[in-house]
Amino acid sequence: MYMDAVVIAGIGTVVLMVGFFVGVGVFVARDARHHHDEGRHGR
């Protein structure tokens, strides 16, 4: 397969986006577990 700079940049962009969304998901899951006992309004 022919690989030029545009293809490599596109693959890199997709990898970074997936990594970002996985990181956000992990953060949200940990934060939700941490604030589980605070009730609906965070009090």
Side-chain angles (χ1 to χ4, degrees):
M1 185 172 114
Y2 181 70
M3 298 286 281
D4 61 351
V6 176
V7 174
I8 295 171
I11 293 171
T13 300
V14 171
V15 169
L16 287 173
M17 288 184 349
V18 169
F20 174 77
F21 286 119
V22 167
V24 169
V26 169
F27 173 78
V28 169
R30 287 183 180 174
D31 192 57
R33 197 175 331 138
H34 180 265
H35 294 291
H36 180 69
D37 297 330
E38 293 185 7
R40 183 172 180 169
H41 297 290
R43 293 179 185 162

